[in-house]
Amino acid sequence: MTREVDLSSSREGLLRNGAATLSRDSLDSYTSSSELDLDELEPHNGQTSPRPRGGWSPVRRKNNSKRKRQEHKQPPKASRKGGCLRNRACWVVSVILLGGLLVLVAGSRTFVYKKPQPMDGFSPPWYPSPKGGTFLNWTESYLKASTMVSSMSLMGKVNVTTGTGWASDLCVGNTAGAFEAEFPPLCLQDGPLGIRFTDHATAWPAGITVGATWNKDLMYRRGRGLGLEHRLKGVNIMLGPSMGPLGRMPGGGRNWEGFGPDPVLQGIAAAHTIRGIQEEGVIATAKHYIANEQEHLRQASESGLPYAISSNIDDRTLHELYLWPFADSIRAGVGSVMCSYNMVNSSYACSNSKLLNGILKDELGFQGFVQSDWLAQRSGVASALAGLDMSMPGDGLYWSDGQSLWGPRLTEAVLNGSVPIERINDMALRIVAVWYQLGQDNETLHPIPLEGDPRPNFSSWTKDRMGHLHESTDDDAMVVVNNFTDVQGQGENFHGRLAQQVAAEGTILVKNENNILPLSQSGGPELVKDRRRAKYNVGVFGEDAGANPEGPNACVDRGCNNFTLASGWGSGAVEFPFLIPPIEALESTFDLDQVQITRILTNKLPNNWPEVHGSQDLCVVFITSDAGEGFTSWNGITDRIDLHPQKGGDELVMQVATSCANTIVVIHAVGPVIVERWIDLPNIKAVVLANLPGEESGNALTDVLFGRVDASGRLPYTVGKSLADYGPGGKIMVKPNGLAPHQDFKEGLLIDYRHFDTNGITPRYEFGFGLSYTTFTFSDLQLKSLKPKSPLPSPRPNATVLPVTLPTQLPDPETAVFPAGFRKLRKYIYPYLDNSTIKTEPYYPYPKGYNTVQPPSPAGGGEGGNPSLYDEHVSVSVNVTNTGKRKGKQVVQVYVSFPSDVIDASTGKGITFPIRVLRAFEKVEINATETATVNVNLTRRDLSYWSVGRQNWVMPDGNFTIAVGASSRDLPLQGAW
Ligand code: BGC
Ligand code: BGC
């Protein structure tokens, strides 16, 4: 699909001439959803409304209070940025500026539209949307779903596929049930590191920290913990894990929500997380599909432009890099995929038929449902045809506008034939089938949390016990919405212990001169204290060591970098139930009879600080770098425009290191940080990258600093010496390069370490690197062929299961009209029409290419693609010996270099490869002096490239080099295959 089609096909609102009024409209809608109109609300006069959609009548308690301000609701952007819209002068200035902008834009528009770019070429049409239910392991769920959906009215199907509107119900996303079929409303809640907007739930280490553990078992167990907690709070669909952004740009504001910029590390971590979540019966969401690599310009409503940014990616790069973790997720059985805000190759990700119908549902065999990111849906009929199955949060083009692109518009579109009834049947089937597949019909696992009421047991919109069921509407009834269910586990099963373990293993030691670490509780270790003093003096420096006096949740959505940093910000952040600051853990670990701790928990030291504070035997300095989601910013940051420590971190480190001979630097950060200004100073003895540790921050850090656990984190990204080192593709596009900004992913496969390797750039610390407290050697590499080389996977297996068929006759439009006496809540999204007149003329023009029959992809035929792609071809085994004095953990990393001089048979063109790519890893714990044999297997996919000509994975002829070692640049063993 192309932008052309997106524009023309969306009769629901995104009309070509709608573009000019877009920002104006969006401002209006922001004002109307702000607290202004909350104050204007008439207190509602008594009668309780029926539960708006479906018959899940809530228990009503009181119905009195005037609506009060929500605690959590995201303030509308306009008011967040200073409330300009309430001020007349500001309006005038804005109008003038806007006028100027339009003139500029008009000029650039000509340029943009004239630019010779293949509008169709990158993203060809792919229709119709493949039906779900084509694999054996889903058969039972689809059969049950077909019974369920057969008994749904069209209204029910619309309810299941369309959200009820932002803040219309208790979760960040909600569908209404299908009453007639007894299908319940579903609760969708963020997110990747815990349950957003609630209490008594674990604030887990962030994805990037999990990536840094390289520990599959911990990835899985954290997933279980996430799943269990979401289930106990009554969440059906968890909005995570995040695997996109992958991390093309090291400063990408949301990279930290995922597991790092290598597709294999990202994919393995995502798949283990998903298995864990879903084993608890909660539907996981693989997000954001796809190429949502930066926050700047991600959404038209945030940038004020008429279009979101387009990530332009070639087919091979898409397959080998950005799509890879999604393939792993689908193979792991993920129930939902969230399409992203941005365009891909000029077509919105949520209405890009090639991406959704072609790649996700045909090639990758995705059996679950596609939900839109919040307002990433930009068209109605077009997105349904392109493969979107669920509209979230259900509103239309603007936040809380109550003008859904689906809802009643979908009802109408089905009734007038614009959306074939088979399509909405498939949409509903996919959602219901996933619900069965995850066992959500089991009432023991998914108990009804409050008496007789299937809603979740918390509200996203208030911290009080009493609140509104339908916050954004005019329903003022107050009921119990929070019952403060503690889901953190008890005693030995307290999830904090696991969170601590993950955070400790996700802590990376990159420098450790003279083995200054691990520390001993009495100081040292072999440091000689100043004998003139009775105690060993330790100075702890920097705001990041200390707790925020206003509490760890002082900034909404964690949208600031104040005091100790344990999470980035945005929808991927949670309310900390508690946060152990480093200083507290240091003070409780050091033996205070022998050690004197001086806390200087500020980033600005007086110039004569040693005189003021006394000289220290050991100094631990804490610095940070933070980032987050684009809907809010801190100090102008969403994405990081540079990779330097923030808040004067460099200066603090240098100042301390000038006078302190034993300086240890701890960095809490969302990703790589440039350390060049001080890393080689002789007084800087150790550097620890603690990433984003979550609630157990201090405890996990001291586990590593004092050696209670080995330092076993390894870098899930490259630490360069400058941002420029990452190449031109590593830079965030801050200023739009046109009305419809375009970002060409010209570097192709060469991001992060692949870029450094190919261009001969020496990083400060390479991908995969990290020190242990012990030492390891690798020996005896053995490569065994399990299957012979052959260029192509087996032919796509024939479908053994046919999708279920449902009745296709259209209901009488009369049944789609609001029932008599129905009390509508303001802004709530219903499926009903105001009257039964259905316009069928002019008939909806199906998008270009709608009738072209698409051959099934040869790369498809199983979940995650052709099953033969996952055949194991090479077994790699290696001995690892712990040559040090203590037990420790090593990550065995396996990198593949493809044969040289590869010519693609279908195109006759040469195929080039990155120097080496990570293809497998395993973390092992080994006792001192012992040896472990580690075995991993490489699959056909690991040893193939995506041939654009063949539209299939091809295993090239020639010699593969398989290298094994401790990082991407420390590969002592290699063999040929
Ligand atoms: C939502 C985001 C959204 C933002 C808009 C947040 O609270 O979770 O999805 O982008 O509000 O203001
Ligand atoms: C974010 C998603 C999130 C959703 C719901 C969006 O703004 O991009 O990651 O799940 O809001 O809060």
Side-chain angles (χ1 to χ4, degrees), residues 190 196 254 287-288 298 338 341 373-374 571 629:
D190 294 300
R196 187 184 185 197
R254 299 183 75 180
K287 71 184 190 183
H288 308 82
R298 69 170 183 162
M338 183 190 288
Y341 284 124
D373 197 347
W374 271 231
S571 63
E629 188 176 344

Side-chain angles (χ1 to χ4, degrees), residues 605-758:
L605 306 181
N607 286 332
N608 56 344
W609 70 269
E611 290 85 78
V612 179
H613 298 288
S615 69
Q616 309 295 326
D617 301 304
L618 178 77
C619 298
V620 192
V621 196
F622 287 82
I623 60 174
T624 57
S625 185
D626 199 0
E629 188 176 344
F631 68 76
T632 184
S633 67
W634 170 79
N635 268 3
I637 296 165
T638 57
D639 301 304
R640 289 185 299 161
I641 304 308
D642 66 60
L643 305 180
H644 297 295
Q646 293 164 358
K647 305 191 95 166
D650 277 340
E651 292 71 19
L652 176 67
V653 170
M654 291 186 294
Q655 220 180 336
V656 171
T658 320
S659 324
C660 188
N662 294 303
T663 301
I664 296 171
V665 182
V666 177
I667 307 180
H668 285 121
V670 287
V673 172
I674 305 299
V675 296
E676 294 310 303
R677 291 182 66 191
W678 43 262
I679 190 71
D680 286 328
L681 295 179
N683 286 350
I684 298 201
K685 294 293 183 333
V687 176
V688 172
L689 309 185
N691 295 299
L692 299 173
E695 65 185 30
E696 294 284 350
S697 175
N699 290 335
L701 181 72
T702 49
D703 279 348
V704 176
L705 290 182
F706 291 87
R708 293 190 291 254
V709 306
D710 185 23
S712 72
R714 302 292 181 258
L715 282 171
Y717 44 72
T718 299
V719 178
K721 292 182 180 164
S722 70
L723 175 58
D725 278 359
Y726 293 83
K731 270 183 81 178
I732 303 288
M733 180 187 287
V734 176
K735 295 211 179 79
N737 57 359
L739 242 199
H742 279 258
Q743 195 167 37
D744 298 333
F745 288 26
K746 286 193 195 130
E747 70 292 333
L749 300 172
L750 302 180
I751 67 166
D752 201 70
Y753 67 90
R754 300 142 175 252
H755 168 82
F756 283 77
D757 291 351
T758 303

Side-chain angles (χ1 to χ4, degrees), residues 412-429:
E412 199 178 4
V414 173
L415 288 174
N416 74 10
S418 304
V419 169
I421 186 138
E422 287 92 339
R423 182 73 263 272
I424 193 175
N425 284 345
D426 178 61
M427 287 154 55
L429 264 175

Side-chain angles (χ1 to χ4, degrees), residues 30 72-77 80 166 172 190 196-197 254 298-299 302 341 373-375 399 461 556-557 570-572 629-632:
Y30 278 131
H72 286 309
K73 182 166 178 184
Q74 187 57 48
K77 187 169 175 166
R80 246 181 288 134
W166 176 247
V172 299
D190 294 300
R196 187 184 185 197
F197 289 158
R254 299 183 75 180
R298 69 170 183 162
Q299 253 188 314
E302 280 168 7
Y341 284 124
D373 197 347
W374 271 231
L375 263 68
W399 283 97
W461 322 115
V556 176
D557 280 319
S571 63
E629 188 176 344
F631 68 76
T632 184

Side-chain angles (χ1 to χ4, degrees), residues 51-85:
R51 169 84 172 186
R53 305 205 290 182
W56 299 80
S57 279
V59 186
R60 295 281 165 154
R61 274 101 185 172
K62 265 195 268 152
N63 185 15
N64 48 8
S65 85
K66 189 163 155 102
R67 174 139 312 181
K68 72 172 198 188
R69 204 153 164 14
Q70 306 162 146
E71 281 197 52
H72 286 309
K73 182 166 178 184
Q74 187 57 48
K77 187 169 175 166
S79 69
R80 246 181 288 134
K81 298 227 162 135
C84 172
L85 297 177

Side-chain angles (χ1 to χ4, degrees), residues 252-329:
R254 299 183 75 180
N255 293 355
W256 58 273
E257 293 185 43
F259 309 99
D262 178 88
V264 169
L265 178 58
Q266 181 87 243
I268 288 176
H272 280 81
T273 305
I274 289 164
R275 282 198 190 94
I277 296 165
Q278 297 203 148
E279 274 174 30
E280 287 294 340
V282 169
I283 299 165
T285 304
K287 71 184 190 183
H288 308 82
Y289 185 75
I290 195 171
N292 185 171
E293 291 294 315
Q294 63 165 50
E295 293 306 287
H296 282 80
L297 313 174
R298 69 170 183 162
Q299 253 188 314
S301 64
E302 280 168 7
S303 61
L305 296 171
Y307 303 105
I309 193 168
S310 175
S311 299
N312 300 330
I313 311 187
D314 66 88
D315 195 20
R316 181 173 171 214
T317 302
L318 183 81
H319 278 84
E320 293 183 34
L321 214 49
Y322 299 95
L323 189 64
W324 187 288
F326 287 96
D328 286 340
S329 302

